[in-house]
C-alpha cells in the first residue's frame, strides 16, 4: 500500500475540502477506469479553466492521474492513494 507523507496528507485534505472538487473526485472515482474531461464538463456546470484548476489540485494531491490522447484529456482515480489517506485518518 502507498505510504503518504505529512505534506501529501495535508494536500489531500486541502484538495477535498472544496465541495465542488470533492464532487468531481467522486465522479471520477465512480468510473470504471478513466473519465474523459468532456464527460466532466457535461456533468458539472463550470468553465473549462475552473475544471482544469480543480483537476490540477486533485492531481497535485496525488488523488488522480491525467493522461492526454491527442487533444483529449482523461483522469483516473488513484484508489491506493485514497486508501492510504483513509488509513492515516483512522490513526488520528
Amino acid at each position: 500500500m502507498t505510504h503518504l507523507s505529512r505534506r501529501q496528507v495535508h494536500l489531500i485534505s486541502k484538495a477535498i475540502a472544496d465541495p465542488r472538487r470533492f464532487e468531481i473526485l467522486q465522479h471520477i472515482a465512480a468510473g470504471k477506469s478513466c473519465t474523459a474531461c468532456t464527460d466532466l464538463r457535461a456533468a458539472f456546470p463550470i468553465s473549462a479553466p475552473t475544471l482544469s484548476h480543480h483537476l490540477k489540485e486533485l492531481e497535485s494531491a496525488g488523488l488522480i492521474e491525467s493522461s492526454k490522447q491527442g487533444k483529449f484529456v482523461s483522469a483516473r482515480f488513484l484508489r491506493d492513494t485514497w486508501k492510504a489517506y483513509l488509513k492515516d485518518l483512522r490513526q488520528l
Side-chain angles (χ1 to χ4, degrees):
M1 181 172 281
T2 305
H3 178 286
L4 302 180
S5 67
R6 289 178 147 248
R7 181 178 186 281
Q8 190 171 10
V9 170
H10 175 74
L11 287 173
I12 292 171
S13 297
K14 184 178 173 187
I16 63 173
D18 181 281
R20 174 68 73 189
R21 198 172 299 138
F22 188 69
E23 284 180 309
I24 292 168
L25 180 65
Q26 287 178 308
H27 189 85
I28 294 168
K32 292 191 187 324
S33 57
C34 290
T35 303
C37 285
T38 53
D39 293 342
L40 292 171
R41 286 289 316 277
F44 298 98
I46 56 178
S47 68
T50 300
L51 177 61
S52 178
H53 171 73
H54 286 313
L55 293 175
K56 180 182 172 195
E57 292 294 317
L58 292 170
E59 190 167 20
S60 294
L63 291 169
I64 66 168
E65 180 178 78
S66 296
S67 60
K68 192 170 186 177
Q69 297 166 344
K71 65 179 185 173
F72 298 102
V73 177
S74 294
R76 182 175 67 88
F77 181 56
L78 298 176
R79 199 163 303 279
D80 285 345
T81 302
W82 183 251
K83 287 179 182 178
Y85 175 70
L86 294 177
K87 181 180 176 189
D88 280 2
L89 289 182
R90 282 191 293 269
Q91 294 176 357
L92 294 178

